[in-house]
Amino acid sequence: MSGIYETDKLLSEYLLLHYGSRREILPWDFGPAEALDFPLRCAQTCLRESSAFGRALDLGCAVGRAAFELSGTFEKVVGIDRSARFIKAARTIQKEGELSYERLDEGIVTTRLIAKRPSVSHPERVEFREGDACRLPKDLGQFDCILLSNLLCRVPNPEACLRQLPGLLRSGGRILITTPCSWMEEFTLQSAWLGGMLRDGKPVTTLEGLSHCLGSEFKLLRMEEMPFLIREHARKFQWSVAQASLWKRS
C-alpha cells in the first residue's frame, strides 16, 4: 500500500494539504476551517515548545511545508520521507520556489494551482532525503527537535521507528508526535500496532503504546487534539483529528 504515495492523486492531495489557501481547499464560509494549515500548525507547535534551535528533523515530511516553516528559525532542517514523488516535489519547491499541480474538482475536471514555498523559509537550511523511517541512516547526527507528523500508523514497524529516537535527540530536546491512530493492516500488521487492539482481553490505546516505546528516556509534557482536512474533490473531504503528544528527552 505504500505505493499509493507515489500516485498523481496523493501527490496532488498532499500539495493542496500543505500549500493550499483556504479558498483553494474550502471555498465556503461554512466547514471545518480550524482543520486547515495542519503542517504549519505542527511546525508552530515545535517552534513554540523548543528551547534550542540548532537542528530539526521532520520525519515523514511528505511534500515539505513543515520543514520549510521550521527553517525560518532552525539553523538546519532535515526532512525525510519514503515517497520518491513527495521528496522530488519538495526539492523542486526548494529550488524553484514553487510547483504547479492539478487539483481535482469533479470527475476529470481539474484546476491548475501553484504550491509556493513559504516566505519565512530559508531553503538553503533544508535538506530533503528519501528514506525509511524504520531504518534511518547512521549519519543523521542529533537534533534539538523532531517532528513525526501522522507517520506511525503508516509504517510497517512503528516500534522500530520510535526506538531510534533516543539516539537522535539531544538531552532536553522535544519531539512532537501526531497520529490519527488509523491502524490498518494494509500498512502495518496488527501484531505491530501500537494501539487499537486487545492485549489479554483489554484494550490498548496508541498513547499507551507510545509511552511503552519511549519509556524512561522521555517525559510526556502535554497532549493536544489537532484536526486536519484533506480534500479529495470539491465536495468530498477527509476530516480527521490527530492525537498530538509532546515529549521531552531526559
Side-chain angles (χ1 to χ4, degrees), residues 61-91:
C61 65
V63 292
R65 173 70 183 277
F68 286 128
E69 297 289 347
L70 292 171
S71 75
T73 301
F74 281 90
E75 295 175 1
K76 175 71 175 182
V77 181
V78 179
I80 299 177
D81 202 278
R82 190 167 187 173
S83 169
R85 293 285 305 276
F86 283 4
I87 291 297
K88 181 180 179 182
R91 286 172 174 168

Side-chain angles (χ1 to χ4, degrees), residues 183-194:
W183 299 105
M184 301 169 62
E185 287 208 305
E186 291 89 340
F187 297 98
T188 314
L189 294 179
Q190 189 174 137
S191 59
W193 291 2
L194 294 182

Side-chain angles (χ1 to χ4, degrees), residues 19-174:
Y19 300 99
S21 68
R22 169 173 177 152
R23 285 296 172 185
E24 288 172 343
I25 301 172
L26 191 66
W28 303 290
D29 292 332
F30 59 87
E34 72 282 353
L36 299 173
D37 291 318
F38 181 73
L40 170 61
R41 288 183 283 119
C42 287
Q44 289 174 335
T45 298
C46 290
L47 291 167
R48 184 171 60 249
E49 300 291 344
S50 294
S51 57
F53 299 98
R55 303 180 78 235
L57 173 63
D58 184 0
L59 191 53
C61 65
V63 292
R65 173 70 183 277
F68 286 128
E69 297 289 347
L70 292 171
S71 75
T73 301
F74 281 90
E75 295 175 1
K76 175 71 175 182
V77 181
V78 179
I80 299 177
D81 202 278
R82 190 167 187 173
S83 169
R85 293 285 305 276
F86 283 4
I87 291 297
K88 181 180 179 182
R91 286 172 174 168
T92 299
I93 296 170
Q94 179 184 25
K95 180 180 179 180
E96 306 294 338
E98 61 183 39
L99 175 64
S100 65
Y101 65 101
E102 297 291 334
R103 180 194 66 189
L104 178 62
D105 294 332
E106 181 179 344
I108 61 170
V109 178
T110 63
T111 297
R112 180 166 290 275
L113 299 176
I114 298 177
K116 294 185 177 182
R117 193 177 63 223
S119 59
V120 300
S121 68
H122 288 268
E124 73 281 0
R125 299 178 181 176
V126 183
E127 177 187 1
F128 289 111
R129 301 174 65 164
E130 185 181 344
D132 184 347
C134 299
R135 293 192 298 270
L136 293 171
K138 303 298 184 182
D139 63 346
L140 287 177
Q142 288 195 310
F143 298 88
D144 300 290
C145 178
I146 300 177
L147 169 63
L148 280 77
S149 177
N150 296 355
L151 171 70
L152 289 178
C153 56
R154 290 297 179 267
V155 297
N157 193 340
E159 183 171 349
C161 177
L162 292 171
R163 295 295 185 192
Q164 303 168 102
L165 299 182
L168 291 170
L169 194 67
R170 295 189 177 103
S171 178
R174 289 353 187 228

